[in-house]
mmCIF file of all heavy atoms in Angstrom:
data_model
loop_
_atom_site.group_PDB
_atom_site.id
_atom_site.type_symbol
_atom_site.label_atom_id
_atom_site.label_comp_id
_atom_site.label_asym_id
_atom_site.label_seq_id
_atom_site.Cartn_x
_atom_site.Cartn_y
_atom_site.Cartn_z
ATOM 1 N N HIS A 25 -11.975 21.769 7.911
ATOM 2 C CA HIS A 25 -10.749 21.907 7.144
ATOM 3 C C HIS A 25 -10.387 20.547 6.581
ATOM 4 O O HIS A 25 -10.340 19.549 7.297
ATOM 5 C CB HIS A 25 -9.607 22.415 8.047
ATOM 6 C CG HIS A 25 -9.748 23.864 8.395
ATOM 7 N ND1 HIS A 25 -9.571 24.873 7.477
ATOM 8 C CD2 HIS A 25 -10.054 24.456 9.571
ATOM 9 C CE1 HIS A 25 -9.752 26.039 8.075
ATOM 10 N NE2 HIS A 25 -10.047 25.815 9.341
ATOM 11 N N ALA A 26 -10.078 20.476 5.298
ATOM 12 C CA ALA A 26 -9.746 19.207 4.655
ATOM 13 C C ALA A 26 -8.295 18.866 4.906
ATOM 14 O O ALA A 26 -7.418 19.706 4.889
ATOM 15 C CB ALA A 26 -10.004 19.302 3.151
ATOM 16 N N HIS A 27 -8.036 17.578 5.156
ATOM 17 C CA HIS A 27 -6.689 17.093 5.354
ATOM 18 C C HIS A 27 -6.511 15.847 4.509
ATOM 19 O O HIS A 27 -7.455 15.125 4.245
ATOM 20 C CB HIS A 27 -6.435 16.741 6.828
ATOM 21 C CG HIS A 27 -6.600 17.912 7.750
ATOM 22 N ND1 HIS A 27 -5.714 18.949 7.810
ATOM 23 C CD2 HIS A 27 -7.582 18.204 8.646
ATOM 24 C CE1 HIS A 27 -6.113 19.833 8.724
ATOM 25 N NE2 HIS A 27 -7.243 19.408 9.229
ATOM 26 N N HIS A 28 -5.273 15.569 4.136
ATOM 27 C CA HIS A 28 -5.023 14.389 3.353
ATOM 28 C C HIS A 28 -5.133 13.154 4.234
ATOM 29 O O HIS A 28 -4.722 13.162 5.392
ATOM 30 C CB HIS A 28 -3.639 14.467 2.712
ATOM 31 C CG HIS A 28 -3.530 15.565 1.692
ATOM 32 N ND1 HIS A 28 -2.954 16.779 1.957
ATOM 33 C CD2 HIS A 28 -3.965 15.619 0.403
ATOM 34 C CE1 HIS A 28 -3.003 17.541 0.888
ATOM 35 N NE2 HIS A 28 -3.620 16.879 -0.054
ATOM 36 N N ASP A 29 -5.662 12.095 3.671
ATOM 37 C CA ASP A 29 -5.907 10.869 4.413
ATOM 38 C C ASP A 29 -4.599 10.256 4.877
ATOM 39 O O ASP A 29 -3.570 10.385 4.225
ATOM 40 C CB ASP A 29 -6.650 9.864 3.520
ATOM 41 C CG ASP A 29 -7.196 8.705 4.315
ATOM 42 O OD1 ASP A 29 -7.244 8.812 5.550
ATOM 43 O OD2 ASP A 29 -7.557 7.703 3.691
ATOM 44 N N LEU A 30 -4.624 9.603 6.019
ATOM 45 C CA LEU A 30 -3.450 8.946 6.565
ATOM 46 C C LEU A 30 -3.431 7.508 6.076
ATOM 47 O O LEU A 30 -4.276 6.717 6.448
ATOM 48 C CB LEU A 30 -3.494 8.976 8.100
ATOM 49 C CG LEU A 30 -3.416 10.364 8.746
ATOM 50 C CD1 LEU A 30 -3.795 10.271 10.211
ATOM 51 C CD2 LEU A 30 -2.030 10.932 8.596
ATOM 52 N N SER A 31 -2.452 7.165 5.237
ATOM 53 C CA SER A 31 -2.409 5.810 4.706
ATOM 54 C C SER A 31 -2.267 4.789 5.813
ATOM 55 O O SER A 31 -2.880 3.733 5.783
ATOM 56 C CB SER A 31 -1.244 5.679 3.706
ATOM 57 O OG SER A 31 0.001 5.938 4.341
ATOM 58 N N HIS A 32 -1.450 5.103 6.829
ATOM 59 C CA HIS A 32 -1.261 4.157 7.923
ATOM 60 C C HIS A 32 -2.545 4.026 8.744
ATOM 61 O O HIS A 32 -2.836 2.993 9.294
ATOM 62 C CB HIS A 32 -0.106 4.613 8.816
ATOM 63 C CG HIS A 32 -0.331 5.950 9.451
ATOM 64 N ND1 HIS A 32 -0.037 7.123 8.823
ATOM 65 C CD2 HIS A 32 -0.851 6.281 10.649
ATOM 66 C CE1 HIS A 32 -0.346 8.137 9.612
ATOM 67 N NE2 HIS A 32 -0.852 7.654 10.723
ATOM 68 N N LEU A 33 -3.300 5.127 8.839
ATOM 69 C CA LEU A 33 -4.558 5.083 9.585
ATOM 70 C C LEU A 33 -5.528 4.119 8.910
ATOM 71 O O LEU A 33 -6.201 3.324 9.572
ATOM 72 C CB LEU A 33 -5.160 6.486 9.656
ATOM 73 C CG LEU A 33 -6.348 6.659 10.615
ATOM 74 C CD1 LEU A 33 -5.890 6.512 12.056
ATOM 75 C CD2 LEU A 33 -6.969 8.032 10.416
ATOM 76 N N THR A 34 -5.597 4.185 7.590
ATOM 77 C CA THR A 34 -6.451 3.270 6.844
ATOM 78 C C THR A 34 -6.010 1.829 7.037
ATOM 79 O O THR A 34 -6.837 0.930 7.182
ATOM 80 C CB THR A 34 -6.420 3.626 5.339
ATOM 81 O OG1 THR A 34 -6.898 4.960 5.160
ATOM 82 C CG2 THR A 34 -7.298 2.672 4.542
ATOM 83 N N ALA A 35 -4.705 1.613 7.066
ATOM 84 C CA ALA A 35 -4.193 0.255 7.269
ATOM 85 C C ALA A 35 -4.595 -0.271 8.640
ATOM 86 O O ALA A 35 -5.001 -1.427 8.784
ATOM 87 C CB ALA A 35 -2.672 0.243 7.118
ATOM 88 N N PHE A 36 -4.495 0.578 9.657
ATOM 89 C CA PHE A 36 -4.885 0.163 11.005
ATOM 90 C C PHE A 36 -6.380 -0.153 11.068
ATOM 91 O O PHE A 36 -6.788 -1.152 11.646
ATOM 92 C CB PHE A 36 -4.544 1.265 12.015
ATOM 93 C CG PHE A 36 -3.179 1.140 12.621
ATOM 94 C CD1 PHE A 36 -2.121 1.860 12.101
ATOM 95 C CD2 PHE A 36 -2.948 0.300 13.695
ATOM 96 C CE1 PHE A 36 -0.851 1.750 12.644
ATOM 97 C CE2 PHE A 36 -1.692 0.189 14.245
ATOM 98 C CZ PHE A 36 -0.634 0.914 13.717
ATOM 99 N N SER A 37 -7.199 0.718 10.480
ATOM 100 C CA SER A 37 -8.644 0.502 10.548
ATOM 101 C C SER A 37 -9.057 -0.740 9.765
ATOM 102 O O SER A 37 -9.905 -1.517 10.211
ATOM 103 C CB SER A 37 -9.402 1.730 10.032
ATOM 104 O OG SER A 37 -9.142 1.959 8.664
ATOM 105 N N ARG A 38 -8.439 -0.961 8.612
ATOM 106 C CA ARG A 38 -8.788 -2.133 7.816
ATOM 107 C C ARG A 38 -8.372 -3.423 8.508
ATOM 108 O O ARG A 38 -9.099 -4.419 8.471
ATOM 109 C CB ARG A 38 -8.139 -2.038 6.435
ATOM 110 C CG ARG A 38 -8.813 -1.012 5.531
ATOM 111 C CD ARG A 38 -8.168 -0.954 4.167
ATOM 112 N NE ARG A 38 -8.836 0.010 3.302
ATOM 113 C CZ ARG A 38 -8.413 0.353 2.100
ATOM 114 N NH1 ARG A 38 -7.286 -0.181 1.616
ATOM 115 N NH2 ARG A 38 -9.080 1.228 1.371
ATOM 116 N N THR A 39 -7.200 -3.411 9.136
ATOM 117 C CA THR A 39 -6.775 -4.597 9.890
ATOM 118 C C THR A 39 -7.760 -4.890 11.009
ATOM 119 O O THR A 39 -8.162 -6.039 11.224
ATOM 120 C CB THR A 39 -5.370 -4.373 10.478
ATOM 121 O OG1 THR A 39 -4.436 -4.156 9.420
ATOM 122 C CG2 THR A 39 -4.933 -5.590 11.291
ATOM 123 N N GLY A 40 -8.164 -3.842 11.720
ATOM 124 C CA GLY A 40 -9.132 -4.017 12.789
ATOM 125 C C GLY A 40 -10.475 -4.506 12.293
ATOM 126 O O GLY A 40 -11.139 -5.323 12.949
ATOM 127 N N GLN A 41 -10.875 -4.033 11.123
ATOM 128 C CA GLN A 41 -12.152 -4.471 10.548
ATOM 129 C C GLN A 41 -12.122 -5.951 10.189
ATOM 130 O O GLN A 41 -13.078 -6.687 10.431
ATOM 131 C CB GLN A 41 -12.469 -3.631 9.312
ATOM 132 C CG GLN A 41 -12.853 -2.202 9.634
ATOM 133 C CD GLN A 41 -12.864 -1.302 8.411
ATOM 134 O OE1 GLN A 41 -12.668 -1.767 7.288
ATOM 135 N NE2 GLN A 41 -13.062 -0.009 8.620
ATOM 136 N N VAL A 42 -11.005 -6.401 9.626
ATOM 137 C CA VAL A 42 -10.872 -7.821 9.272
ATOM 138 C C VAL A 42 -10.951 -8.688 10.517
ATOM 139 O O VAL A 42 -11.651 -9.706 10.553
ATOM 140 C CB VAL A 42 -9.547 -8.064 8.519
ATOM 141 C CG1 VAL A 42 -9.290 -9.567 8.364
ATOM 142 C CG2 VAL A 42 -9.577 -7.408 7.147
ATOM 143 N N ILE A 43 -10.240 -8.282 11.566
ATOM 144 C CA ILE A 43 -10.245 -9.051 12.813
ATOM 145 C C ILE A 43 -11.636 -9.065 13.434
ATOM 146 O O ILE A 43 -12.125 -10.105 13.885
ATOM 147 C CB ILE A 43 -9.221 -8.468 13.803
ATOM 148 C CG1 ILE A 43 -7.801 -8.635 13.248
ATOM 149 C CG2 ILE A 43 -9.351 -9.145 15.165
ATOM 150 C CD1 ILE A 43 -6.733 -7.962 14.084
ATOM 151 N N THR A 44 -12.288 -7.893 13.457
ATOM 152 C CA THR A 44 -13.622 -7.799 14.049
ATOM 153 C C THR A 44 -14.618 -8.694 13.325
ATOM 154 O O THR A 44 -15.396 -9.428 13.952
ATOM 155 C CB THR A 44 -14.123 -6.343 14.009
ATOM 156 O OG1 THR A 44 -13.203 -5.500 14.706
ATOM 157 C CG2 THR A 44 -15.507 -6.235 14.660
ATOM 158 N N LEU A 45 -14.604 -8.636 12.000
ATOM 159 C CA LEU A 45 -15.540 -9.451 11.221
ATOM 160 C C LEU A 45 -15.233 -10.938 11.369
ATOM 161 O O LEU A 45 -16.149 -11.763 11.372
ATOM 162 C CB LEU A 45 -15.481 -9.038 9.748
ATOM 163 C CG LEU A 45 -15.974 -7.621 9.454
ATOM 164 C CD1 LEU A 45 -15.819 -7.288 7.975
ATOM 165 C CD2 LEU A 45 -17.439 -7.457 9.877
ATOM 166 N N ALA A 46 -13.956 -11.284 11.521
ATOM 167 C CA ALA A 46 -13.590 -12.688 11.719
ATOM 168 C C ALA A 46 -14.119 -13.196 13.061
ATOM 169 O O ALA A 46 -14.654 -14.310 13.155
ATOM 170 C CB ALA A 46 -12.076 -12.852 11.652
ATOM 171 N N LEU A 47 -13.982 -12.369 14.107
ATOM 172 C CA LEU A 47 -14.487 -12.762 15.423
ATOM 173 C C LEU A 47 -16.011 -12.872 15.414
ATOM 174 O O LEU A 47 -16.585 -13.808 15.988
ATOM 175 C CB LEU A 47 -14.041 -11.743 16.478
ATOM 176 C CG LEU A 47 -12.544 -11.695 16.785
ATOM 177 C CD1 LEU A 47 -12.224 -10.532 17.719
ATOM 178 C CD2 LEU A 47 -12.087 -13.013 17.415
ATOM 179 N N ALA A 48 -16.665 -11.903 14.773
ATOM 180 C CA ALA A 48 -18.131 -11.934 14.688
ATOM 181 C C ALA A 48 -18.590 -13.159 13.915
ATOM 182 O O ALA A 48 -19.569 -13.831 14.295
ATOM 183 C CB ALA A 48 -18.649 -10.665 14.022
ATOM 184 N N ASN A 49 -17.889 -13.466 12.832
ATOM 185 C CA ASN A 49 -18.241 -14.644 12.043
ATOM 186 C C ASN A 49 -18.046 -15.920 12.846
ATOM 187 O O ASN A 49 -18.829 -16.871 12.732
ATOM 188 C CB ASN A 49 -17.388 -14.688 10.773
ATOM 189 C CG ASN A 49 -17.754 -15.847 9.870
ATOM 190 O OD1 ASN A 49 -18.842 -15.891 9.308
ATOM 191 N ND2 ASN A 49 -16.844 -16.801 9.717
ATOM 192 N N GLY A 50 -17.005 -15.934 13.685
ATOM 193 C CA GLY A 50 -16.774 -17.098 14.536
ATOM 194 C C GLY A 50 -17.937 -17.352 15.481
ATOM 195 O O GLY A 50 -18.358 -18.495 15.686
ATOM 196 N N ILE A 51 -18.460 -16.273 16.074
ATOM 197 C CA ILE A 51 -19.614 -16.414 16.970
ATOM 198 C C ILE A 51 -20.811 -16.960 16.201
ATOM 199 O O ILE A 51 -21.522 -17.857 16.693
ATOM 200 C CB ILE A 51 -19.956 -15.056 17.614
ATOM 201 C CG1 ILE A 51 -18.839 -14.619 18.555
ATOM 202 C CG2 ILE A 51 -21.283 -15.150 18.374
ATOM 203 C CD1 ILE A 51 -19.079 -13.254 19.178
ATOM 204 N N LEU A 52 -21.043 -16.434 15.015
ATOM 205 C CA LEU A 52 -22.186 -16.887 14.214
ATOM 206 C C LEU A 52 -22.064 -18.369 13.863
ATOM 207 O O LEU A 52 -23.041 -19.127 13.977
ATOM 208 C CB LEU A 52 -22.293 -16.055 12.941
ATOM 209 C CG LEU A 52 -22.832 -14.631 13.091
ATOM 210 C CD1 LEU A 52 -22.791 -13.919 11.741
ATOM 211 C CD2 LEU A 52 -24.251 -14.647 13.643
ATOM 212 N N VAL A 53 -20.880 -18.782 13.439
ATOM 213 C CA VAL A 53 -20.683 -20.178 13.050
ATOM 214 C C VAL A 53 -20.904 -21.111 14.230
ATOM 215 O O VAL A 53 -21.602 -22.135 14.122
ATOM 216 C CB VAL A 53 -19.268 -20.374 12.465
ATOM 217 C CG1 VAL A 53 -18.967 -21.860 12.269
ATOM 218 C CG2 VAL A 53 -19.126 -19.639 11.145
ATOM 219 N N ILE A 54 -20.310 -20.766 15.374
ATOM 220 C CA ILE A 54 -20.476 -21.608 16.563
ATOM 221 C C ILE A 54 -21.932 -21.645 16.999
ATOM 222 O O ILE A 54 -22.455 -22.698 17.400
ATOM 223 C CB ILE A 54 -19.590 -21.085 17.711
ATOM 224 C CG1 ILE A 54 -18.112 -21.175 17.320
ATOM 225 C CG2 ILE A 54 -19.831 -21.893 18.983
ATOM 226 C CD1 ILE A 54 -17.174 -20.557 18.331
ATOM 227 N N ALA A 55 -22.610 -20.492 16.917
ATOM 228 C CA ALA A 55 -24.016 -20.434 17.310
ATOM 229 C C ALA A 55 -24.882 -21.319 16.420
ATOM 230 O O ALA A 55 -25.779 -22.025 16.905
ATOM 231 C CB ALA A 55 -24.519 -18.991 17.263
ATOM 232 N N VAL A 56 -24.610 -21.299 15.120
ATOM 233 C CA VAL A 56 -25.374 -22.133 14.188
ATOM 234 C C VAL A 56 -25.130 -23.616 14.479
ATOM 235 O O VAL A 56 -26.073 -24.420 14.498
ATOM 236 C CB VAL A 56 -24.995 -21.807 12.729
ATOM 237 C CG1 VAL A 56 -25.587 -22.832 11.774
ATOM 238 C CG2 VAL A 56 -25.478 -20.405 12.360
ATOM 239 N N ILE A 57 -23.885 -23.990 14.713
ATOM 240 C CA ILE A 57 -23.551 -25.390 14.993
ATOM 241 C C ILE A 57 -24.219 -25.860 16.274
ATOM 242 O O ILE A 57 -24.852 -26.923 16.316
ATOM 243 C CB ILE A 57 -22.026 -25.567 15.088
ATOM 244 C CG1 ILE A 57 -21.375 -25.322 13.718
ATOM 245 C CG2 ILE A 57 -21.676 -26.962 15.592
ATOM 246 C CD1 ILE A 57 -19.858 -25.345 13.744
ATOM 247 N N PHE A 58 -24.090 -25.049 17.332
ATOM 248 C CA PHE A 58 -24.698 -25.440 18.611
ATOM 249 C C PHE A 58 -26.221 -25.448 18.514
ATOM 250 O O PHE A 58 -26.883 -26.301 19.109
ATOM 251 C CB PHE A 58 -24.244 -24.485 19.713
ATOM 252 C CG PHE A 58 -22.933 -24.854 20.335
ATOM 253 C CD1 PHE A 58 -21.825 -25.122 19.544
ATOM 254 C CD2 PHE A 58 -22.794 -24.936 21.707
ATOM 255 C CE1 PHE A 58 -20.610 -25.462 20.105
ATOM 256 C CE2 PHE A 58 -21.587 -25.281 22.290
ATOM 257 C CZ PHE A 58 -20.483 -25.537 21.486
ATOM 258 N N GLY A 59 -26.775 -24.479 17.775
ATOM 259 C CA GLY A 59 -28.219 -24.445 17.608
ATOM 260 C C GLY A 59 -28.727 -25.692 16.900
ATOM 261 O O GLY A 59 -29.774 -26.246 17.267
ATOM 262 N N PHE A 60 -27.993 -26.122 15.885
ATOM 263 C CA PHE A 60 -28.374 -27.337 15.166
ATOM 264 C C PHE A 60 -28.305 -28.561 16.075
ATOM 265 O O PHE A 60 -29.186 -29.427 16.045
ATOM 266 C CB PHE A 60 -27.456 -27.528 13.958
ATOM 267 C CG PHE A 60 -27.769 -28.755 13.145
ATOM 268 C CD1 PHE A 60 -28.836 -28.761 12.256
ATOM 269 C CD2 PHE A 60 -27.010 -29.912 13.291
ATOM 270 C CE1 PHE A 60 -29.132 -29.894 11.507
ATOM 271 C CE2 PHE A 60 -27.307 -31.049 12.547
ATOM 272 C CZ PHE A 60 -28.366 -31.045 11.652
ATOM 273 N N MET A 61 -27.275 -28.616 16.918
ATOM 274 C CA MET A 61 -27.115 -29.745 17.829
ATOM 275 C C MET A 61 -28.174 -29.753 18.929
ATOM 276 O O MET A 61 -28.457 -30.799 19.523
ATOM 277 C CB MET A 61 -25.718 -29.718 18.452
ATOM 278 C CG MET A 61 -24.584 -29.889 17.443
ATOM 279 S SD MET A 61 -22.944 -29.605 18.163
ATOM 280 C CE MET A 61 -22.854 -30.934 19.371
ATOM 281 N N MET A 62 -28.771 -28.599 19.201
ATOM 282 C CA MET A 62 -29.770 -28.492 20.260
ATOM 283 C C MET A 62 -31.192 -28.684 19.753
ATOM 284 O O MET A 62 -32.145 -28.596 20.546
ATOM 285 C CB MET A 62 -29.672 -27.115 20.934
ATOM 286 C CG MET A 62 -28.420 -26.883 21.750
ATOM 287 S SD MET A 62 -28.317 -25.155 22.299
ATOM 288 C CE MET A 62 -29.903 -24.960 23.143
ATOM 289 N N MET A 63 -31.365 -28.933 18.488
ATOM 290 C CA MET A 63 -32.702 -28.994 17.901
ATOM 291 C C MET A 63 -33.641 -29.920 18.656
ATOM 292 O O MET A 63 -34.812 -29.613 18.858
ATOM 293 C CB MET A 63 -32.607 -29.425 16.436
ATOM 294 C CG MET A 63 -31.947 -28.387 15.537
ATOM 295 S SD MET A 63 -32.932 -26.886 15.364
ATOM 296 C CE MET A 63 -34.291 -27.496 14.370
#
Side-chain angles (χ1 to χ4, degrees):
H25 286 290
H27 300 288
H28 294 100
D29 193 15
L30 295 167
S31 61
H32 61 275
L33 191 68
T34 300
F36 269 97
S37 64
R38 286 181 179 174
T39 299
Q41 289 167 5
V42 170
I43 295 174
T44 302
L45 294 178
L47 292 173
N49 183 67
I51 293 177
L52 285 177
V53 171
I54 297 174
V56 170
I57 293 175
F58 275 50
F60 180 78
M61 297 171 64
M62 291 172 55
M63 292 293 290

